[in-house]
Structure formats: C-alpha cells, structure tokens
Amino acid sequence: MGDPLPGYHHDPFRDGEIEHDVRRSGSGPAVLVIHELPGIDEATRMVAERIREEGFTVVLPDLLPPRSGEPTGLDLALNLGRICVSNEFWAFALRYDRPVTRWLQALAVREHARSGGPGIGIVGMCLSGGFALAAATRAPISVAIAAEPSLPFRWRPGAARDLGMSTAEVRTLRDRAARGEVCVRAFRYEGDPVSPPERLARIRELLGGETVVEPIPGRDHPVLDRAVGMTRHGPGEPDPRAVPALTETLRVLRETLLAGAPA
C-alpha cells in the first residue's frame, strides 16, 4: 500500500520518552491536524488539505502508525487496544493528565518557531478531540477545534461529562479562554454514537455558549470527514449538514491566525 500523504515532508519529533513521526505541508501559520482512531488516512488528508488551502502549514502527527501504508480495518482494531492499555492515551481514565498532551504542546512550540504567526491552531477529531482541548491549556496554541471528542469512552460511570483532562487543565483552559488567549470550538452530530452529548454540554458550561457549534442533525460520525466529502464508502459529496462546522473552523483559524483578530 502507498503513502497516504505523498509529497509531505516528514521527520520524527521526540519530547521526553515519546517520539512520533510528523508530516508537514504548506506555508503560513501552523495548524496541527490530529487523526482519528484509524490513523492518518485519506480522510485525514482531505481535512488537512482543505485547511492548507486557507493559507496554513498543516502539521500531522502520526500517533498510531499502521503496519504498512494506508490504515486497514485490522489497524483500527489494533489501535483500539493500543489506546486502552498505553498510559500515553489511557482511553478509560477520568480527569487524567495524558502524556500525549505534553508531547503535542512541545510539538506546537517547535512548529510555531518554524512557521511564525500570532499562534498556532490544533484540530482534534474523535479520538483526538479531547487532546486538542487539553493541549490548548498552553501557548502558543490559540485555536482549538474539538470535533466529536470521544475520550474517555462513555461506558465508564461519570465518563460522559469528563473532558479527558485533569482538574488543573480544565481550570487553565477556562482561564485562558476567559482572557481571550485561546478560541475553542466543539461540535458533533446530534446522534453521534461515540461522542456523548453530555461532553459538549460540559464544554458549553465551561467556556460559553458560542464555543459549541449549533447541533448538527443526524446520526453520523465524524463531522469534518463528512464536511469535506469523505463518506462511509469513500470520497463523495460533502454533507451539507456538516459544512457549517467546517466553515466555522476555517473562520476562527483565519481570523485568529491570519488576521490576528479575535474570533
């Protein structure tokens, strides 16, 4: 199988005991685009390239590399096991300071030094939606997009309202947002089978009503994939129900990172 990101520059990035490959393309302020449970696949590429078209450098950490080439169904199953047992992710832990958060924050510092601009953005989807929120507790991240955040998994009591962040991280994110240092947006399909509605309600309570994009009707998953035209069966037409969430994502990235204006 071929590389899902041909033409992207890539190099390893290590912080402490954690090292992952990182893919990069484009020019302008950096936006970290973090893949879903399958790993970096065609849907990840389509979302990243739509963001790149707006004038950004897109940076894709490969947190769950496949056995070879493009991720398969077996990779998806293996990754589920990996995130459940690895303390880097620990999918069931509540109020947990995940080591992957610190690695993403260190990567953000490096990419900001490379790309410049008033800050950088981070886009997390499903598995990584909560990673974007947690990483946004520190500069230079000034935009965080949490698309259908799914960790911790909802099956554990109390997990539905948990943001996958420690208590200290939650306070810091709230304070940064209140000071205007970071703009956060979150969204999900109303009938999303993975990301619980209580989690977005908690984000709204914490950060304000404008943080959560208006409910997206339908039982589907994930939003940004559908908004760029990645259907359950492969590339196709964008879902018009999901497009407003993509439009808002691009707006806050442009206005915060390109124009420097408040979103």
Side-chain angles (χ1 to χ4, degrees):
M1 294 184 179
D3 186 342
L5 294 171
Y8 278 61
H9 172 75
H10 64 94
D11 59 11
F13 176 70
R14 171 177 286 274
D15 182 67
E17 297 300 313
I18 300 176
E19 180 176 313
H20 294 292
D21 195 33
V22 177
R23 310 297 186 95
R24 183 182 305 99
S25 181
S27 60
V31 178
L32 308 187
V33 180
I34 317 175
H35 60 75
E36 302 160 48
L37 185 59
I40 295 177
D41 57 10
E42 188 173 9
T44 313
R45 177 187 61 77
M46 290 171 67
V47 172
E49 293 184 356
R50 181 64 188 87
I51 293 171
R52 185 182 64 186
E53 290 171 1
E54 297 291 318
F56 296 104
T57 299
V58 288
V59 180
L60 283 67
D62 195 358
L63 303 180
L64 297 167
R67 293 163 300 131
S68 63
E70 182 118 5
T72 66
L74 179 57
D75 288 308
L76 177 65
L78 293 172
N79 288 347
L80 182 60
R82 290 163 71 181
I83 67 168
C84 289
V85 301
S86 169
N87 67 358
E88 183 181 353
F89 307 107
W90 230 337
F92 289 98
L94 306 186
R95 295 178 295 282
Y96 179 56
D97 180 4
R98 289 173 168 78
V100 68
T101 297
R102 294 189 291 277
W103 184 86
L104 288 167
Q105 290 168 335
L107 177 64
V109 170
R110 184 187 78 166
E111 296 302 326
H112 185 235
R114 286 184 169 185
S115 301
I120 79 167
I122 183 167
V123 177
M125 301 175 283
C126 186
L127 160 76
S128 59
F131 301 167
L133 292 176
T137 55
R138 290 178 57 185
I141 295 173
S142 51
V143 178
I145 307 298
E148 62 276 323
S150 65
L151 295 187
F153 288 139
R154 64 197 303 172
W155 308 301
R156 181 174 175 181
R161 282 177 55 84
D162 193 282
L163 301 183
M165 303 165 63
S166 69
T167 301
E169 287 175 324
V170 169
R171 287 197 299 264
T172 301
L173 179 62
R174 177 198 62 200
D175 293 346
R176 286 199 76 213
R179 293 193 298 266
E181 296 173 4
V182 63
C183 174
V184 177
R185 292 292 183 269
F187 43 81
R188 63 186 285 278
Y189 278 102
E190 284 185 307
D192 188 301
V194 180
S195 178
E198 295 90 343
R199 190 161 294 150
L200 259 64
R202 175 68 178 126
I203 294 171
R204 186 191 299 272
E205 293 169 7
L206 184 72
L207 303 177
E210 72 283 353
T211 301
V212 177
V213 177
E214 286 302 309
I216 302 167
R219 180 178 174 82
D220 208 342
H221 176 98
V223 174
L224 292 179
D225 286 19
R226 302 294 183 259
V228 298
M230 177 55 74
T231 74
R232 295 179 183 180
H233 308 292
E237 293 299 317
D239 180 353
R241 301 171 299 177
V243 168
L246 174 62
T247 300
E248 178 66 2
T249 294
L250 298 175
R251 184 189 74 81
V252 297
L253 288 171
R254 286 193 309 267
E255 293 188 4
T256 305
L257 301 180
L258 295 179

PDB file of all heavy atoms in Angstrom, residues 217-252:
ATOM      1  N   PRO A 217     -27.736  17.951  12.757  1.00  0.00           N
ATOM      2  CA  PRO A 217     -28.730  16.875  12.774  1.00  0.00           C
ATOM      3  C   PRO A 217     -28.198  15.597  12.134  1.00  0.00           C
ATOM      4  O   PRO A 217     -27.348  15.623  11.245  1.00  0.00           O
ATOM      5  CB  PRO A 217     -29.895  17.458  11.977  1.00  0.00           C
ATOM      6  CG  PRO A 217     -29.281  18.511  11.107  1.00  0.00           C
ATOM      7  CD  PRO A 217     -28.140  19.076  11.890  1.00  0.00           C
ATOM      8  N   GLY A 218     -28.724  14.476  12.626  1.00  0.00           N
ATOM      9  CA  GLY A 218     -28.382  13.192  12.027  1.00  0.00           C
ATOM     10  C   GLY A 218     -27.574  12.312  12.958  1.00  0.00           C
ATOM     11  O   GLY A 218     -26.966  12.765  13.925  1.00  0.00           O
ATOM     12  N   ARG A 219     -27.587  11.033  12.641  1.00  0.00           N
ATOM     13  CA  ARG A 219     -26.777  10.054  13.369  1.00  0.00           C
ATOM     14  C   ARG A 219     -25.628   9.662  12.465  1.00  0.00           C
ATOM     15  O   ARG A 219     -25.771   8.834  11.557  1.00  0.00           O
ATOM     16  CB  ARG A 219     -27.617   8.829  13.751  1.00  0.00           C
ATOM     17  CG  ARG A 219     -26.836   7.751  14.507  1.00  0.00           C
ATOM     18  CD  ARG A 219     -27.735   6.588  14.901  1.00  0.00           C
ATOM     19  NE  ARG A 219     -26.968   5.487  15.492  1.00  0.00           N
ATOM     20  CZ  ARG A 219     -26.582   5.424  16.756  1.00  0.00           C
ATOM     21  NH1 ARG A 219     -26.910   6.410  17.584  1.00  0.00           N
ATOM     22  NH2 ARG A 219     -25.890   4.386  17.208  1.00  0.00           N
ATOM     23  N   ASP A 220     -24.475  10.290  12.685  1.00  0.00           N
ATOM     24  CA  ASP A 220     -23.327  10.035  11.821  1.00  0.00           C
ATOM     25  C   ASP A 220     -22.060  10.354  12.602  1.00  0.00           C
ATOM     26  O   ASP A 220     -22.106  10.806  13.748  1.00  0.00           O
ATOM     27  CB  ASP A 220     -23.412  10.882  10.542  1.00  0.00           C
ATOM     28  CG  ASP A 220     -22.698  10.230   9.358  1.00  0.00           C
ATOM     29  OD1 ASP A 220     -21.869   9.336   9.582  1.00  0.00           O
ATOM     30  OD2 ASP A 220     -22.965  10.622   8.211  1.00  0.00           O
ATOM     31  N   HIS A 221     -20.924  10.162  11.946  1.00  0.00           N
ATOM     32  CA  HIS A 221     -19.630  10.341  12.598  1.00  0.00           C
ATOM     33  C   HIS A 221     -18.571  10.061  11.528  1.00  0.00           C
ATOM     34  O   HIS A 221     -18.689   9.064  10.808  1.00  0.00           O
ATOM     35  CB  HIS A 221     -19.504   9.334  13.752  1.00  0.00           C
ATOM     36  CG  HIS A 221     -18.194   9.337  14.451  1.00  0.00           C
ATOM     37  ND1 HIS A 221     -17.986  10.015  15.624  1.00  0.00           N
ATOM     38  CD2 HIS A 221     -17.013   8.749  14.148  1.00  0.00           C
ATOM     39  CE1 HIS A 221     -16.744   9.829  16.029  1.00  0.00           C
ATOM     40  NE2 HIS A 221     -16.135   9.056  15.144  1.00  0.00           N
ATOM     41  N   PRO A 222     -17.555  10.920  11.402  1.00  0.00           N
ATOM     42  CA  PRO A 222     -17.243  12.159  12.103  1.00  0.00           C
ATOM     43  C   PRO A 222     -17.591  13.377  11.238  1.00  0.00           C
ATOM     44  O   PRO A 222     -17.695  13.285  10.016  1.00  0.00           O
ATOM     45  CB  PRO A 222     -15.751  12.043  12.341  1.00  0.00           C
ATOM     46  CG  PRO A 222     -15.247  11.218  11.179  1.00  0.00           C
ATOM     47  CD  PRO A 222     -16.403  10.351  10.712  1.00  0.00           C
ATOM     48  N   VAL A 223     -17.677  14.540  11.858  1.00  0.00           N
ATOM     49  CA  VAL A 223     -18.211  15.727  11.193  1.00  0.00           C
ATOM     50  C   VAL A 223     -17.299  16.239  10.085  1.00  0.00           C
ATOM     51  O   VAL A 223     -17.748  16.462   8.946  1.00  0.00           O
ATOM     52  CB  VAL A 223     -18.480  16.843  12.219  1.00  0.00           C
ATOM     53  CG1 VAL A 223     -18.891  18.132  11.510  1.00  0.00           C
ATOM     54  CG2 VAL A 223     -19.561  16.417  13.200  1.00  0.00           C
ATOM     55  N   LEU A 224     -16.021  16.468  10.386  1.00  0.00           N
ATOM     56  CA  LEU A 224     -15.156  17.102   9.384  1.00  0.00           C
ATOM     57  C   LEU A 224     -14.911  16.188   8.192  1.00  0.00           C
ATOM     58  O   LEU A 224     -14.790  16.664   7.052  1.00  0.00           O
ATOM     59  CB  LEU A 224     -13.836  17.548  10.020  1.00  0.00           C
ATOM     60  CG  LEU A 224     -13.959  18.693  11.021  1.00  0.00           C
ATOM     61  CD1 LEU A 224     -12.597  19.046  11.608  1.00  0.00           C
ATOM     62  CD2 LEU A 224     -14.593  19.927  10.373  1.00  0.00           C
ATOM     63  N   ASP A 225     -14.841  14.890   8.414  1.00  0.00           N
ATOM     64  CA  ASP A 225     -14.738  13.963   7.278  1.00  0.00           C
ATOM     65  C   ASP A 225     -15.918  14.166   6.325  1.00  0.00           C
ATOM     66  O   ASP A 225     -15.757  14.273   5.103  1.00  0.00           O
ATOM     67  CB  ASP A 225     -14.759  12.514   7.768  1.00  0.00           C
ATOM     68  CG  ASP A 225     -13.477  12.082   8.437  1.00  0.00           C
ATOM     69  OD1 ASP A 225     -12.702  12.961   8.846  1.00  0.00           O
ATOM     70  OD2 ASP A 225     -13.262  10.867   8.577  1.00  0.00           O
ATOM     71  N   ARG A 226     -17.130  14.197   6.895  1.00  0.00           N
ATOM     72  CA  ARG A 226     -18.322  14.341   6.072  1.00  0.00           C
ATOM     73  C   ARG A 226     -18.368  15.718   5.402  1.00  0.00           C
ATOM     74  O   ARG A 226     -18.830  15.858   4.261  1.00  0.00           O
ATOM     75  CB  ARG A 226     -19.580  14.135   6.911  1.00  0.00           C
ATOM     76  CG  ARG A 226     -19.638  12.780   7.604  1.00  0.00           C
ATOM     77  CD  ARG A 226     -19.760  11.631   6.604  1.00  0.00           C
ATOM     78  NE  ARG A 226     -19.892  10.363   7.297  1.00  0.00           N
ATOM     79  CZ  ARG A 226     -18.890   9.494   7.465  1.00  0.00           C
ATOM     80  NH1 ARG A 226     -17.687   9.757   6.954  1.00  0.00           N
ATOM     81  NH2 ARG A 226     -19.077   8.367   8.111  1.00  0.00           N
ATOM     82  N   ALA A 227     -17.859  16.729   6.099  1.00  0.00           N
ATOM     83  CA  ALA A 227     -17.906  18.093   5.554  1.00  0.00           C
ATOM     84  C   ALA A 227     -17.007  18.262   4.341  1.00  0.00           C
ATOM     85  O   ALA A 227     -17.289  19.091   3.464  1.00  0.00           O
ATOM     86  CB  ALA A 227     -17.521  19.109   6.633  1.00  0.00           C
ATOM     87  N   VAL A 228     -15.913  17.491   4.266  1.00  0.00           N
ATOM     88  CA  VAL A 228     -15.023  17.590   3.103  1.00  0.00           C
ATOM     89  C   VAL A 228     -15.347  16.547   2.045  1.00  0.00           C
ATOM     90  O   VAL A 228     -14.665  16.471   1.019  1.00  0.00           O
ATOM     91  CB  VAL A 228     -13.532  17.485   3.513  1.00  0.00           C
ATOM     92  CG1 VAL A 228     -13.152  18.624   4.445  1.00  0.00           C
ATOM     93  CG2 VAL A 228     -13.217  16.129   4.152  1.00  0.00           C
ATOM     94  N   GLY A 229     -16.378  15.731   2.280  1.00  0.00           N
ATOM     95  CA  GLY A 229     -16.812  14.791   1.251  1.00  0.00           C
ATOM     96  C   GLY A 229     -16.345  13.366   1.425  1.00  0.00           C
ATOM     97  O   GLY A 229     -16.497  12.553   0.503  1.00  0.00           O
ATOM     98  N   MET A 230     -15.799  13.018   2.582  1.00  0.00           N
ATOM     99  CA  MET A 230     -15.437  11.629   2.819  1.00  0.00           C
ATOM    100  C   MET A 230     -16.638  10.915   3.438  1.00  0.00           C
ATOM    101  O   MET A 230     -17.001  11.167   4.587  1.00  0.00           O
ATOM    102  CB  MET A 230     -14.224  11.516   3.750  1.00  0.00           C
ATOM    103  CG  MET A 230     -13.853  10.077   4.095  1.00  0.00           C
ATOM    104  SD  MET A 230     -13.556   9.004   2.664  1.00  0.00           S
ATOM    105  CE  MET A 230     -11.954   9.593   2.120  1.00  0.00           C
ATOM    106  N   THR A 231     -17.270  10.057   2.666  1.00  0.00           N
ATOM    107  CA  THR A 231     -18.440   9.332   3.126  1.00  0.00           C
ATOM    108  C   THR A 231     -18.010   7.993   3.726  1.00  0.00           C
ATOM    109  O   THR A 231     -16.826   7.646   3.743  1.00  0.00           O
ATOM    110  CB  THR A 231     -19.405   9.069   1.959  1.00  0.00           C
ATOM    111  OG1 THR A 231     -18.856   8.040   1.115  1.00  0.00           O
ATOM    112  CG2 THR A 231     -19.622  10.335   1.129  1.00  0.00           C
ATOM    113  N   ARG A 232     -18.970   7.222   4.180  1.00  0.00           N
ATOM    114  CA  ARG A 232     -18.654   5.898   4.714  1.00  0.00           C
ATOM    115  C   ARG A 232     -18.104   4.970   3.650  1.00  0.00           C
ATOM    116  O   ARG A 232     -17.464   3.955   3.957  1.00  0.00           O
ATOM    117  CB  ARG A 232     -19.912   5.275   5.327  1.00  0.00           C
ATOM    118  CG  ARG A 232     -20.443   6.010   6.539  1.00  0.00           C
ATOM    119  CD  ARG A 232     -21.693   5.351   7.074  1.00  0.00           C
ATOM    120  NE  ARG A 232     -22.254   6.091   8.193  1.00  0.00           N
ATOM    121  CZ  ARG A 232     -23.344   5.738   8.857  1.00  0.00           C
ATOM    122  NH1 ARG A 232     -23.997   4.637   8.495  1.00  0.00           N
ATOM    123  NH2 ARG A 232     -23.782   6.470   9.856  1.00  0.00           N
ATOM    124  N   HIS A 233     -18.343   5.298   2.386  1.00  0.00           N
ATOM    125  CA  HIS A 233     -17.940   4.421   1.290  1.00  0.00           C
ATOM    126  C   HIS A 233     -16.792   4.988   0.466  1.00  0.00           C
ATOM    127  O   HIS A 233     -16.422   4.412  -0.556  1.00  0.00           O
ATOM    128  CB  HIS A 233     -19.144   4.161   0.382  1.00  0.00           C
ATOM    129  CG  HIS A 233     -20.351   3.686   1.127  1.00  0.00           C
ATOM    130  ND1 HIS A 233     -20.411   2.448   1.736  1.00  0.00           N
ATOM    131  CD2 HIS A 233     -21.539   4.304   1.405  1.00  0.00           C
ATOM    132  CE1 HIS A 233     -21.577   2.313   2.334  1.00  0.00           C
ATOM    133  NE2 HIS A 233     -22.278   3.407   2.147  1.00  0.00           N
ATOM    134  N   GLY A 234     -16.218   6.111   0.903  1.00  0.00           N
ATOM    135  CA  GLY A 234     -15.123   6.717   0.166  1.00  0.00           C
ATOM    136  C   GLY A 234     -15.439   8.146  -0.220  1.00  0.00           C
ATOM    137  O   GLY A 234     -16.487   8.704   0.153  1.00  0.00           O
ATOM    138  N   PRO A 235     -14.559   8.790  -0.993  1.00  0.00           N
ATOM    139  CA  PRO A 235     -14.780  10.186  -1.388  1.00  0.00           C
ATOM    140  C   PRO A 235     -16.093  10.362  -2.140  1.00  0.00           C
ATOM    141  O   PRO A 235     -16.460   9.535  -2.981  1.00  0.00           O
ATOM    142  CB  PRO A 235     -13.572  10.483  -2.286  1.00  0.00           C
ATOM    143  CG  PRO A 235     -12.526   9.515  -1.854  1.00  0.00           C
ATOM    144  CD  PRO A 235     -13.264   8.267  -1.467  1.00  0.00           C
ATOM    145  N   GLY A 236     -16.805  11.444  -1.813  1.00  0.00           N
ATOM    146  CA  GLY A 236     -18.077  11.730  -2.461  1.00  0.00           C
ATOM    147  C   GLY A 236     -18.427  13.193  -2.268  1.00  0.00           C
ATOM    148  O   GLY A 236     -17.546  14.051  -2.277  1.00  0.00           O
ATOM    149  N   GLU A 237     -19.693  13.468  -2.061  1.00  0.00           N
ATOM    150  CA  GLU A 237     -20.142  14.844  -1.893  1.00  0.00           C
ATOM    151  C   GLU A 237     -20.156  15.229  -0.411  1.00  0.00           C
ATOM    152  O   GLU A 237     -20.490  14.408   0.450  1.00  0.00           O
ATOM    153  CB  GLU A 237     -21.554  15.010  -2.460  1.00  0.00           C
ATOM    154  CG  GLU A 237     -21.629  14.849  -3.974  1.00  0.00           C
ATOM    155  CD  GLU A 237     -20.796  15.883  -4.697  1.00  0.00           C
ATOM    156  OE1 GLU A 237     -20.845  17.069  -4.280  1.00  0.00           O
ATOM    157  OE2 GLU A 237     -20.084  15.512  -5.645  1.00  0.00           O
ATOM    158  N   PRO A 238     -19.812  16.494  -0.102  1.00  0.00           N
ATOM    159  CA  PRO A 238     -19.882  16.946   1.291  1.00  0.00           C
ATOM    160  C   PRO A 238     -21.305  16.854   1.835  1.00  0.00           C
ATOM    161  O   PRO A 238     -22.282  17.061   1.104  1.00  0.00           O
ATOM    162  CB  PRO A 238     -19.423  18.411   1.212  1.00  0.00           C
ATOM    163  CG  PRO A 238     -18.613  18.490  -0.043  1.00  0.00           C
ATOM    164  CD  PRO A 238     -19.245  17.524  -0.999  1.00  0.00           C
ATOM    165  N   ASP A 239     -21.414  16.527   3.109  1.00  0.00           N
ATOM    166  CA  ASP A 239     -22.709  16.502   3.781  1.00  0.00           C
ATOM    167  C   ASP A 239     -23.080  17.944   4.134  1.00  0.00           C
ATOM    168  O   ASP A 239     -22.386  18.579   4.940  1.00  0.00           O
ATOM    169  CB  ASP A 239     -22.614  15.658   5.055  1.00  0.00           C
ATOM    170  CG  ASP A 239     -23.929  15.585   5.821  1.00  0.00           C
ATOM    171  OD1 ASP A 239     -24.895  16.291   5.449  1.00  0.00           O
ATOM    172  OD2 ASP A 239     -23.981  14.824   6.809  1.00  0.00           O
ATOM    173  N   PRO A 240     -24.143  18.501   3.556  1.00  0.00           N
ATOM    174  CA  PRO A 240     -24.477  19.903   3.824  1.00  0.00           C
ATOM    175  C   PRO A 240     -24.778  20.178   5.290  1.00  0.00           C
ATOM    176  O   PRO A 240     -24.637  21.314   5.750  1.00  0.00           O
ATOM    177  CB  PRO A 240     -25.703  20.153   2.946  1.00  0.00           C
ATOM    178  CG  PRO A 240     -26.250  18.806   2.624  1.00  0.00           C
ATOM    179  CD  PRO A 240     -25.088  17.881   2.605  1.00  0.00           C
ATOM    180  N   ARG A 241     -25.164  19.155   6.050  1.00  0.00           N
ATOM    181  CA  ARG A 241     -25.414  19.344   7.471  1.00  0.00           C
ATOM    182  C   ARG A 241     -24.119  19.615   8.222  1.00  0.00           C
ATOM    183  O   ARG A 241     -24.114  20.309   9.255  1.00  0.00           O
ATOM    184  CB  ARG A 241     -26.097  18.112   8.064  1.00  0.00           C
ATOM    185  CG  ARG A 241     -27.434  17.745   7.423  1.00  0.00           C
ATOM    186  CD  ARG A 241     -27.905  16.390   7.923  1.00  0.00           C
ATOM    187  NE  ARG A 241     -26.946  15.327   7.577  1.00  0.00           N
ATOM    188  CZ  ARG A 241     -27.067  14.060   7.941  1.00  0.00           C
ATOM    189  NH1 ARG A 241     -28.126  13.683   8.670  1.00  0.00           N
ATOM    190  NH2 ARG A 241     -26.159  13.160   7.594  1.00  0.00           N
ATOM    191  N   ALA A 242     -23.008  19.071   7.735  1.00  0.00           N
ATOM    192  CA  ALA A 242     -21.722  19.196   8.417  1.00  0.00           C
ATOM    193  C   ALA A 242     -20.921  20.403   7.951  1.00  0.00           C
ATOM    194  O   ALA A 242     -20.008  20.851   8.660  1.00  0.00           O
ATOM    195  CB  ALA A 242     -20.896  17.929   8.203  1.00  0.00           C
ATOM    196  N   VAL A 243     -21.228  20.933   6.800  1.00  0.00           N
ATOM    197  CA  VAL A 243     -20.432  22.023   6.221  1.00  0.00           C
ATOM    198  C   VAL A 243     -20.349  23.246   7.140  1.00  0.00           C
ATOM    199  O   VAL A 243     -19.277  23.871   7.245  1.00  0.00           O
ATOM    200  CB  VAL A 243     -20.962  22.396   4.824  1.00  0.00           C
ATOM    201  CG1 VAL A 243     -20.357  23.700   4.327  1.00  0.00           C
ATOM    202  CG2 VAL A 243     -20.656  21.265   3.839  1.00  0.00           C
ATOM    203  N   PRO A 244     -21.429  23.664   7.838  1.00  0.00           N
ATOM    204  CA  PRO A 244     -21.297  24.830   8.728  1.00  0.00           C
ATOM    205  C   PRO A 244     -20.219  24.670   9.802  1.00  0.00           C
ATOM    206  O   PRO A 244     -19.565  25.661  10.177  1.00  0.00           O
ATOM    207  CB  PRO A 244     -22.692  24.965   9.343  1.00  0.00           C
ATOM    208  CG  PRO A 244     -23.607  24.393   8.307  1.00  0.00           C
ATOM    209  CD  PRO A 244     -22.847  23.239   7.734  1.00  0.00           C
ATOM    210  N   ALA A 245     -20.006  23.463  10.299  1.00  0.00           N
ATOM    211  CA  ALA A 245     -18.948  23.251  11.288  1.00  0.00           C
ATOM    212  C   ALA A 245     -17.576  23.465  10.665  1.00  0.00           C
ATOM    213  O   ALA A 245     -16.680  24.058  11.284  1.00  0.00           O
ATOM    214  CB  ALA A 245     -19.055  21.848  11.878  1.00  0.00           C
ATOM    215  N   LEU A 246     -17.369  22.993   9.439  1.00  0.00           N
ATOM    216  CA  LEU A 246     -16.113  23.244   8.736  1.00  0.00           C
ATOM    217  C   LEU A 246     -15.946  24.726   8.460  1.00  0.00           C
ATOM    218  O   LEU A 246     -14.846  25.284   8.639  1.00  0.00           O
ATOM    219  CB  LEU A 246     -16.084  22.455   7.426  1.00  0.00           C
ATOM    220  CG  LEU A 246     -14.890  22.717   6.510  1.00  0.00           C
ATOM    221  CD1 LEU A 246     -13.582  22.335   7.177  1.00  0.00           C
ATOM    222  CD2 LEU A 246     -15.058  21.978   5.187  1.00  0.00           C
ATOM    223  N   THR A 247     -17.017  25.391   8.048  1.00  0.00           N
ATOM    224  CA  THR A 247     -16.958  26.830   7.773  1.00  0.00           C
ATOM    225  C   THR A 247     -16.538  27.597   9.016  1.00  0.00           C
ATOM    226  O   THR A 247     -15.691  28.508   8.957  1.00  0.00           O
ATOM    227  CB  THR A 247     -18.326  27.329   7.278  1.00  0.00           C
ATOM    228  OG1 THR A 247     -18.665  26.635   6.077  1.00  0.00           O
ATOM    229  CG2 THR A 247     -18.307  28.825   7.009  1.00  0.00           C
ATOM    230  N   GLU A 248     -17.098  27.246  10.162  1.00  0.00           N
ATOM    231  CA  GLU A 248     -16.744  27.918  11.414  1.00  0.00           C
ATOM    232  C   GLU A 248     -15.302  27.611  11.812  1.00  0.00           C
ATOM    233  O   GLU A 248     -14.575  28.476  12.300  1.00  0.00           O
ATOM    234  CB  GLU A 248     -17.713  27.519  12.523  1.00  0.00           C
ATOM    235  CG  GLU A 248     -17.420  28.122  13.878  1.00  0.00           C
ATOM    236  CD  GLU A 248     -17.574  29.627  13.949  1.00  0.00           C
ATOM    237  OE1 GLU A 248     -17.952  30.254  12.930  1.00  0.00           O
ATOM    238  OE2 GLU A 248     -17.315  30.194  15.024  1.00  0.00           O
ATOM    239  N   THR A 249     -14.875  26.372  11.612  1.00  0.00           N
ATOM    240  CA  THR A 249     -13.489  26.002  11.883  1.00  0.00           C
ATOM    241  C   THR A 249     -12.528  26.871  11.086  1.00  0.00           C
ATOM    242  O   THR A 249     -11.563  27.444  11.627  1.00  0.00           O
ATOM    243  CB  THR A 249     -13.259  24.520  11.544  1.00  0.00           C
ATOM    244  OG1 THR A 249     -14.029  23.702  12.436  1.00  0.00           O
ATOM    245  CG2 THR A 249     -11.795  24.138  11.643  1.00  0.00           C
ATOM    246  N   LEU A 250     -12.773  26.991   9.791  1.00  0.00           N
ATOM    247  CA  LEU A 250     -11.889  27.773   8.934  1.00  0.00           C
ATOM    248  C   LEU A 250     -11.949  29.260   9.292  1.00  0.00           C
ATOM    249  O   LEU A 250     -10.933  29.963   9.246  1.00  0.00           O
ATOM    250  CB  LEU A 250     -12.259  27.562   7.470  1.00  0.00           C
ATOM    251  CG  LEU A 250     -12.119  26.116   6.960  1.00  0.00           C
ATOM    252  CD1 LEU A 250     -12.625  26.010   5.534  1.00  0.00           C
ATOM    253  CD2 LEU A 250     -10.678  25.636   7.067  1.00  0.00           C
ATOM    254  N   ARG A 251     -13.137  29.729   9.677  1.00  0.00           N
ATOM    255  CA  ARG A 251     -13.272  31.142  10.043  1.00  0.00           C
ATOM    256  C   ARG A 251     -12.421  31.495  11.257  1.00  0.00           C
ATOM    257  O   ARG A 251     -11.665  32.479  11.235  1.00  0.00           O
ATOM    258  CB  ARG A 251     -14.732  31.486  10.329  1.00  0.00           C
ATOM    259  CG  ARG A 251     -14.954  32.978  10.633  1.00  0.00           C
ATOM    260  CD  ARG A 251     -16.349  33.264  11.124  1.00  0.00           C
ATOM    261  NE  ARG A 251     -16.549  32.817  12.500  1.00  0.00           N
ATOM    262  CZ  ARG A 251     -16.167  33.505  13.578  1.00  0.00           C
ATOM    263  NH1 ARG A 251     -15.528  34.675  13.446  1.00  0.00           N
ATOM    264  NH2 ARG A 251     -16.400  33.041  14.791  1.00  0.00           N
ATOM    265  N   VAL A 252     -12.520  30.698  12.324  1.00  0.00           N
ATOM    266  CA  VAL A 252     -11.762  31.049  13.522  1.00  0.00           C
ATOM    267  C   VAL A 252     -10.264  30.878  13.304  1.00  0.00           C
ATOM    268  O   VAL A 252      -9.459  31.634  13.860  1.00  0.00           O
ATOM    269  CB  VAL A 252     -12.253  30.263  14.755  1.00  0.00           C
ATOM    270  CG1 VAL A 252     -13.690  30.618  15.082  1.00  0.00           C
ATOM    271  CG2 VAL A 252     -12.081  28.770  14.601  1.00  0.00           C
TER     272      VAL A 252
END
